[in-house]
Amino acid sequence: MQPKKQFLQLMMSIFLVAKVLEHIAPLGTQQESAHEHKNISFFKRLTSGNMIVSGKKKCVNVIMSIAGGSQSIGHKSIQKAYHQNNVSTDLPQDIIETCKLALKSLRGCNNGSLIQERWLAETNHLLQNKTLTIGVFGRHKAGKSTVLNALLHHETLPSAVKNETASITYIHHEPCKHLGKRCSEDCEEYLSIKNTEIKGRRNIRQIIQSRNFDIRENKKSALEIIEVVAHVPFLCPYSTDNIKIVLLDTPGLAESNELGISELSEHQLMTCSAFIYVISCLQLEDAIDTDTFRAIAERDPGVFIEKRMLIVVTRLDEYKQSEKKCNDQSMQACNSDDDETASLDELIKNIKETIQQQCKFISIPDDCIIPVSSTAALEARKVQLGLKSRDIEVLLGKFRRIKSGIKLEELEETSQLLVLEKKLREIALNSYRLWHRSIVRDCSRYLEQAVRELYDIETNFGCVEDKYNKKICSKERLLAEYRAEKKDLRSKYESDSAFHVSLKDSFDEDVQSLRSKIDEKFNDQFKKFESGIKERLRLTVEEYNSKVEEFIEDANKSLKDIIHHAHFKKMNSIIKESSFQLGIARQRLEQKMAQYCDTTTSVTKSSFLAESEDMTEIISDEPVNIVPLKLKDLLSSVNYSIFDRMKIFAQKVFLRLKTDDDPRRQLLDVERNALLKDLKECLLKDCVDFFRKIKSKLVQSCLQEHKKIAESHIFEVKLLYSDQKKQVESDVKIWKKEALFYEGLKNSQAAIARSLTKQKNHLTELSAK
């Protein structure tokens, strides 16, 4: 790609960032001090689609995709993914194969811009390796690591009074053949860190402690996951080579935010098939994270009904009934003095009631709440393995408070850990079904949320496309209006236009007004001439001709004088109005072009006529020899030959007369009267014929002059805005390409969304069978 094109795409990408960020809320960075508030902020993301790349990171991924960055899908890749997702219309009929296809499709069109890659990678790992994960989580100092150590029969994970766990630990259950030994006796032998030479509980604990210290004290990254291989005794009878079971240990919820691994912890937990939520009985009154339960239940609706969420309450041996918060119904019980003598069953019942009371919004099965003493169970199991236990007697003393006569061999059972293991074994018995359903659940959720994100991105692309199209339409509309103005301006000065017709009509009106003056003057003169002719008793043809020539000469002088001082008022008014409209049209042309070019209207010369100007000053190149606007010397173009007239008269009136009549012959009265009548009619007819002859030339001259002025205005406006217009036209071409580009992106997103929706629906249908 050329640098210029790369730069252009980058600029467009920056523009899209602003548009997309309008729809994406910024991520908050404020740290809350109280642990309970940190827990809430940690799990609020679980109900808001935290698996989706959010905020500025998602926007940057999308923008990088458009800009063609190396870490993005790019426009061509989107098109490629679109075609790949639409090549095959046949979907696998096997549900696992459909899940594989879904993950492949998501990773193929995703590349980190829709669903976080680690979520897809984790689910793909669970799918390919047939792994079922049981997540252990809770607040800091709740006893998570101690519970896991008790389940492992060894102090493998470090635990302390202060916060200890700072990283995520996977414990992979390794089935084994005991060869006559008990399961617990094989645990030490199988303990190791995966893919290393580190073995044994002490070495593993030391490695994890060192890692935790680096994270807490040296502020090193907490994103690395430690994977431990162990033989978990309670899983042994139910382990198969088909489904692998993994226990997941996480830092305290509040600490996950502080350590910077909150999202990682979330994604690890939300891909689990079962959950162990650990609460210390000393924190019961304020440590029940209802937001956590609600978030998990929303993601996995059957988690409580199917008893895959176990609430483990630790430190059972330290719980006192008086620590239970009193309510109106239990006030009397709280005031009693027999709290120290409450039995084990009563303590367990009180703990369950406390949790149920605080979790009224959700139905938690009673047997999913398991109070335990994980420390007592661990110490009892160490003794069984022949290991030293410095705290065993202290623990026995605590338990004798709630169960008299308890013996060492009864401590493991009294600790209630066996109840927890029984529930976990029930989960393990359904490992294949749970693994199967978890994969379907995760893939369905990814598809659903990816489709939602794709449609959101499609909407954003559509908004950008619409913005370009609106800009294009706006410019094209202005240009169309400008062209319509030009066309309308030109049409006004074409033949048979309204202006043309008005010119002809106004000329006729002006001539009619002028004719009345000419007729009045001519009639007075003709009456005098006629009376003089009739007074002569004897009048020869020669004398008549002489008198007629004198009369015509006098009539011509009078006619010239009248026409010389006459003005074509109506026609001049039409011309002035048209000139005014020319100026208005010029302004409209400039306004439209200025709007098209996004600039101000220029100041140009006016096209208005001054009051003193008239038609003769506008039409300076009239082709008629005389100046037709004032009709000067009008009669010079008319040939009045009295001899020709007399011959015509003679032929009309007296057929018997010949062309060689004697000029000295006396005219008869009837001849004289007929000649006078025809003379009058001929003079008037010739005057009308003159105005008829000059009308066409005069009107066409005015029309051509205004047409020329209109064309000059059009040319001047075009020249005035030529450079700006070329730039805008170039911009419009770019906008059209960009609109087409974003339309392609939008359509590609929609096509991929349709393909993923099809897979989601197919997966739902298969899972419902």
Side-chain angles (χ1 to χ4, degrees):
M1 185 179 290
Q2 297 178 356
K4 185 177 180 180
K5 290 184 178 179
Q6 289 179 336
F7 177 76
L8 178 61
Q9 285 189 336
L10 181 59
M11 293 298 100
M12 295 310 303
S13 301
I14 294 172
F15 167 76
L16 183 61
V17 170
K19 297 304 298 178
V20 177
L21 284 180
E22 292 175 2
H23 306 284
I24 302 175
L27 295 177
T29 56
Q30 184 178 2
Q31 296 293 330
E32 301 179 65
S33 58
H35 285 305
E36 57 270 20
H37 292 158
K38 290 180 180 179
N39 292 339
I40 292 173
S41 66
F42 180 98
F43 271 94
K44 268 186 177 179
R45 289 186 294 272
L46 290 177
T47 58
S48 60
N50 69 301
M51 70 176 67
I52 299 171
V53 178
S54 57
K56 296 181 179 179
K57 183 177 180 182
K58 177 174 71 174
C59 186
V60 169
N61 286 337
V62 174
I63 299 311
M64 288 297 294
S65 299
I66 299 170
S70 59
Q71 298 178 356
S72 65
I73 48 182
H75 186 210
K76 291 182 179 180
S77 296
I78 290 178
Q79 296 286 4
K80 181 179 178 182
Y82 158 61
H83 290 300
Q84 286 177 346
N85 280 281
N86 287 274
V87 170
S88 176
T89 57
D90 297 329
L91 295 173
Q93 294 306 307
D94 180 74
I95 195 166
I96 295 300
E97 292 301 319
T98 302
C99 289
K100 290 180 180 179
L101 175 62
L103 291 173
K104 181 180 178 182
S105 299
L106 286 167
R107 300 184 83 175
C109 68
N110 176 51
N111 204 17
S113 62
L114 295 174
I115 306 296
Q116 293 188 35
E117 182 61 27
R118 59 172 171 256
W119 286 80
L120 298 176
E122 177 67 18
T123 301
N124 187 61
H125 173 79
L126 298 177
L127 175 62
Q128 298 295 338
N129 294 279
K130 294 187 176 181
T131 303
L132 182 140
T133 306
I134 301 174
V136 180
F137 66 105
R139 290 196 174 193
H140 64 291
K141 297 188 292 185
K144 300 182 295 296
S145 297
T146 306
V147 169
L148 285 169
N149 283 335
L151 294 174
L152 294 173
H153 292 248
H154 288 284
E155 282 188 89
T156 305
L157 305 176
S159 60
V161 176
K162 64 177 183 179
N163 296 350
E164 178 62 39
T165 305
S167 60
I168 295 174
T169 304
Y170 277 172
I171 302 172
H172 296 265
H173 170 59
E174 181 72 23
C176 66
K177 295 180 181 180
H178 304 298
L179 301 176
K181 297 181 181 179
R182 292 184 303 166
C183 289
S184 56
E185 295 176 358
D186 289 331
C187 291
E188 176 75 16
E189 181 182 349
Y190 281 88
L191 281 172
S192 65
I193 293 181
K194 193 174 182 179
N195 300 324
T196 68
E197 298 297 325
I198 302 172
K199 297 181 181 295
R201 66 179 187 277
R202 290 186 178 87
N203 292 330
I204 293 172
R205 186 167 62 249
Q206 186 178 357
I207 291 295
I208 296 176
Q209 283 177 330
S210 176
R211 172 71 175 158
N212 292 340
F213 181 83
D214 286 340
I215 293 171
R216 293 184 185 281
E217 303 299 329
N218 300 331
K219 306 300 180 183
K220 290 188 177 181
S221 173
L223 298 181
E224 182 180 346
I225 296 174
I226 299 175
E227 297 189 69
V228 175
V229 177
H231 177 67
V232 184
F234 78 89
L235 291 175
C236 187
Y238 309 97
S239 301
T240 64
D241 294 331
N242 191 22
I243 299 296
K244 301 174 184 177
I245 298 179
V246 174
L247 299 174
L248 171 67
D249 185 23
T250 61
L253 299 183
E255 282 214 306
S256 292
N257 284 324
E258 296 175 356
L259 298 172
I261 57 171
S262 57
E263 289 191 5
L264 181 61
S265 295
E266 290 169 21
H267 114 264
Q268 296 291 343
L269 284 173
M270 296 321 299
T271 54
C272 292
S273 299
F275 306 89
I276 301 174
Y277 182 69
V278 181
I279 309 174
S280 170
C281 69
L282 303 180
Q283 300 173 331
L284 267 186
E285 302 303 327
D286 60 356
I288 298 180
D289 295 297
T290 54
D291 285 317
T292 299
F293 296 158
R294 183 184 292 109
I296 293 176
E298 286 182 6
R299 286 290 185 90
D300 194 351
V303 69
F304 283 107
I305 298 173
E306 297 169 5
K307 301 181 181 181
R308 290 183 286 109
M309 167 71 85
L310 304 179
I311 301 174
V312 177
V313 184
T314 60
R315 298 190 178 185
L316 174 60
D317 53 300
E318 300 180 39
Y319 180 72
K320 294 182 181 180
Q321 190 175 4
S322 59
E323 291 173 354
K324 179 175 176 290
K325 186 179 290 186
C326 298
N327 55 27
D328 293 340
Q329 289 76 22
S330 61
M331 186 65 72
Q332 184 177 356
C334 288
N335 292 330
S336 63
D337 295 327
D338 60 351
D339 291 334
E340 295 296 330
T341 61
S343 67
L344 178 62
D345 292 338
E346 289 174 338
L347 292 180
I348 292 174
K349 180 181 178 182
N350 288 332
I351 290 172
K352 290 184 176 182
E353 287 177 354
T354 300
I355 293 177
Q356 293 284 13
Q357 199 169 25
Q358 295 193 41
C359 300
K360 292 179 180 179
F361 71 93
I362 196 165
S363 177
I364 302 177
D366 189 69
D367 56 348
C368 286
I369 304 173
I370 308 172
V372 301
S373 175
S374 51
T375 303
L378 176 60
E379 295 302 319
R381 288 178 170 180
K382 285 167 62 177
V383 172
Q384 291 175 9
L385 292 172
L387 302 175
K388 292 183 180 181
S389 174
R390 291 174 295 180
D391 301 324
I392 192 68
E393 293 300 329
V394 176
L395 290 166
L396 283 171
K398 290 182 178 180
F399 269 94
R400 288 188 179 113
R401 177 178 60 86
I402 57 178
K403 186 176 181 180
S404 60
I406 185 173
K407 298 179 180 179
L408 178 58
E409 55 269 19
E410 297 174 333
L411 186 57
E412 181 183 23
E413 182 177 356
T414 307
S415 70
Q416 302 297 304
L417 190 69
L418 296 179
V419 178
L420 172 61
E421 289 182 334
K422 179 182 178 182
K423 289 294 181 183
L424 291 174
R425 279 195 293 269
E426 291 174 0
I427 292 173
L429 277 170
N430 295 310
S431 58
Y432 182 82
R433 183 178 62 84
L434 292 178
W435 166 81
H436 187 277
R437 191 168 58 184
S438 296
I439 297 299
V440 173
R441 175 203 64 191
D442 292 342
C443 289
S444 297
R445 188 165 69 240
Y446 298 155
L447 288 168
E448 182 179 345
Q449 297 200 28
V451 167
R452 191 183 307 133
E453 285 298 298
L454 283 167
Y455 280 131
D456 286 344
I457 295 172
E458 176 199 350
T459 300
N460 291 328
F461 285 147
C463 290
V464 181
E465 179 200 357
D466 289 344
K467 182 170 183 178
Y468 280 117
N469 283 330
K470 285 179 182 178
K471 290 168 67 176
I472 293 167
C473 289
S474 174
K475 293 301 181 184
E476 289 180 343
R477 176 182 56 79
L478 289 171
L479 194 59
E481 291 175 358
Y482 170 75
R483 288 169 177 165
E485 290 286 348
K486 288 199 304 182
K487 184 178 179 181
D488 181 63
L489 182 58
R490 286 183 171 127
S491 66
K492 287 181 179 178
Y493 304 106
E494 298 294 335
S495 297
D496 298 326
S497 64
F499 176 65
H500 189 195
V501 172
S502 65
L503 279 177
K504 292 190 290 185
D505 293 343
S506 64
F507 177 84
D508 292 338
E509 292 180 25
D510 285 334
V511 168
Q512 187 64 32
S513 175
L514 190 60
R515 278 284 306 278
S516 63
K517 292 182 180 180
I518 295 172
D519 288 348
E520 183 181 355
K521 184 70 175 176
F522 177 78
N523 284 331
D524 290 342
Q525 288 182 314
F526 189 78
K527 284 179 181 178
K528 291 179 182 179
F529 170 73
E530 184 181 30
S531 63
I533 293 297
K534 288 183 176 181
E535 287 175 358
R536 299 280 298 269
L537 297 176
R538 295 177 180 271
L539 186 64
T540 64
V541 173
E542 186 177 17
E543 289 173 339
Y544 179 80
N545 288 341
S546 177
K547 293 293 183 181
V548 167
E549 286 180 352
E550 291 177 4
F551 169 72
I552 289 175
E553 185 177 352
D554 291 340
N556 272 340
K557 288 180 181 179
S558 299
L559 184 61
K560 289 178 182 178
D561 184 64
I562 291 173
I563 295 175
H564 181 74
H565 293 92
H567 290 280
F568 289 76
K569 293 182 180 180
K570 185 68 175 178
M571 198 171 187
N572 277 332
S573 174
I574 297 296
I575 291 171
K576 286 184 178 182
E577 176 63 24
S578 178
S579 299
F580 179 82
Q581 293 301 325
L582 273 171
I584 298 297
R586 168 67 177 261
Q587 289 181 348
R588 285 200 298 266
L589 286 173
E590 289 187 1
Q591 287 173 353
K592 293 299 179 185
M593 191 49 62
Q595 290 177 3
Y596 180 79
C597 297
D598 292 325
T599 184
T600 56
T601 307
S602 61
V603 180
T604 58
K605 63 181 182 180
S606 173
S607 297
F608 303 101
L609 288 176
E611 288 295 329
S612 60
E613 293 180 314
D614 59 19
M615 194 168 57
T616 59
E617 295 171 347
I618 297 174
I619 309 175
S620 58
D621 58 348
E622 169 60 38
V624 182
N625 291 332
I626 63 170
V627 181
L629 302 178
K630 290 187 177 180
L631 302 181
K632 297 176 182 179
D633 300 324
L634 180 65
L635 297 181
S636 61
S637 62
V638 181
N639 182 16
Y640 290 95
S641 172
I642 191 61
F643 298 104
D644 293 337
R645 300 300 178 199
M646 291 306 298
K647 290 178 181 178
I648 294 171
F649 297 159
Q651 290 173 357
K652 286 182 178 179
V653 182
F654 306 107
L655 297 177
R656 66 181 184 277
L657 293 179
K658 306 295 183 182
T659 56
D660 57 348
D661 286 342
D662 183 3
R664 290 185 296 276
R665 182 180 65 81
Q666 290 185 356
L667 293 172
L668 300 176
D669 289 342
V670 65
E671 290 178 321
R672 183 166 46 188
N673 292 336
L675 288 172
L676 286 173
K677 180 181 178 181
D678 280 356
L679 174 62
K680 182 178 180 179
E681 291 177 356
C682 184
L683 290 174
L684 292 175
K685 181 178 180 299
D686 282 345
C687 184
V688 172
D689 288 345
F690 173 77
F691 285 113
R692 179 179 56 78
K693 288 177 181 178
I694 69 170
K695 176 181 177 179
S696 176
K697 293 182 180 180
L698 183 62
V699 170
Q700 284 295 331
S701 179
C702 289
L703 194 64
Q704 291 296 326
E705 183 65 21
H706 279 70
K707 188 174 182 180
K708 185 169 66 176
I709 294 172
E711 290 293 343
S712 69
H713 283 330
I714 292 171
F715 177 77
E716 287 172 6
V717 172
K718 179 181 178 181
L719 191 64
L720 187 64
Y721 291 96
S722 176
D723 293 339
Q724 299 99 312
K725 185 172 180 289
K726 287 179 181 178
Q727 181 58 50
V728 173
E729 287 172 346
S730 176
D731 292 341
V732 169
K733 287 181 181 179
I734 294 174
W735 296 344
K736 287 182 177 179
K737 290 180 180 178
E738 292 300 327
L740 186 62
F741 172 74
Y742 283 106
E743 181 185 16
L745 288 177
K746 180 188 70 175
N747 293 338
S748 296
Q749 298 294 305
I752 297 172
R754 288 194 297 270
S755 177
L756 296 182
T757 301
K758 183 178 179 181
Q759 294 182 35
K760 166 65 169 57
N761 294 337
H762 181 66
L763 188 58
T764 302
E765 291 175 3
L766 291 178
S767 60
K769 292 181 180 178

